[in-house]
Amino acid sequence: MSFVQILNTFRAYGADVLLLALGVTLTVALLKKTVMKNVSGKAFVFLPFLIGFVYYAAFRCLVTLSADPFTAEIGRTLERGFACGCAATLYHAIYEQFLRGKRVSPLCPLLEGIVPEEKREEAAEALCAGCENMPEEALPDFLRDTLEKYAEPPMSREELAAFAKFLAGFLKTIKKK
């Protein structure tokens, strides 16, 4: 993903999501270094999205001074919370790629704990290249089959299907922007 594509992705998010995503990125990094340093890497795949949802819901509750983000606006809260997780993942990729000097695909942070480090870049490359012009309905199957080749330790079909669906949503969000 080029720097211009990354900037276009960020342009599509609102300022609220981008600021909350920065907090999510910092929170995940802090948790990774302290409380959760012995936790499996698989937890860090979903953690930015979970924390993004919590942060966005709390933010909306404070702004509206109501519980609407959990009731009437739950769909918007889920969508914007997911966007916070996506932006936080992109922040992490930008940090790795441009500040630490490592060339990293935005998928690499999501593959931590699922694909070994030595194969992670190759897997991200295969996933990105294969889904470039793929129809949306075929994407989860392609992602599942490709992940099956790289996942160590091997995952069950159900775990692969769930993670492939998650990755498809992430890729769809990035492509839209």
Side-chain angles (χ1 to χ4, degrees):
M1 186 173 236
S2 73
F3 191 68
V4 173
Q5 289 173 311
I6 291 171
L7 286 178
N8 282 336
T9 300
F10 283 133
R11 189 176 52 102
Y13 294 127
D16 56 344
V17 168
L18 293 176
L19 287 173
L20 289 170
L22 185 59
V24 170
T25 303
L26 295 174
T27 302
V28 170
L30 182 66
L31 288 172
K32 194 183 259 189
K33 299 267 188 236
T34 58
V35 179
M36 300 179 81
K37 63 182 168 192
N38 296 328
V39 175
S40 166
K42 289 181 184 180
F44 294 104
V45 172
F46 298 104
L47 196 60
F49 298 94
L50 177 65
I51 293 174
F53 170 73
V54 170
Y55 279 18
Y56 189 80
F59 166 74
R60 289 298 300 159
C61 283
L62 289 173
V63 168
T64 62
L65 295 175
S66 71
D68 282 351
F70 293 107
T71 56
E73 297 177 5
I74 189 71
R76 185 175 198 285
T77 302
L78 286 169
E79 177 186 336
R80 302 301 280 176
F82 186 77
C84 283
C86 289
T89 303
L90 285 174
Y91 281 150
H92 179 73
I94 287 172
Y95 168 74
E96 291 290 332
Q97 186 168 353
F98 296 110
L99 299 178
R100 283 189 56 193
K102 282 171 64 177
R103 180 97 174 127
V104 176
S105 164
L107 291 181
C108 282
L110 297 176
L111 297 175
E112 283 182 27
I114 294 171
V115 177
E117 188 173 351
E118 61 274 1
K119 291 183 180 179
R120 201 170 297 143
E121 193 62 41
E122 179 186 339
E125 196 74 30
L127 290 167
C128 287
C131 69
E132 191 68 34
N133 294 316
M134 186 168 291
E136 199 172 308
E137 58 276 354
L139 191 58
D141 290 335
F142 166 75
L143 294 172
R144 184 192 66 233
D145 294 341
T146 305
L147 283 169
E148 194 170 30
K149 296 176 194 170
Y150 292 100
E152 284 181 27
M155 298 169 67
S156 70
R157 287 296 270 179
E158 293 80 22
E159 288 176 320
L160 283 168
F163 188 67
K165 189 173 182 180
F166 166 75
L167 267 183
F170 179 76
L171 289 168
K172 180 181 166 189
T173 302
I174 288 178
K175 276 186 179 180
K176 255 193 223 178
K177 312 299 180 194

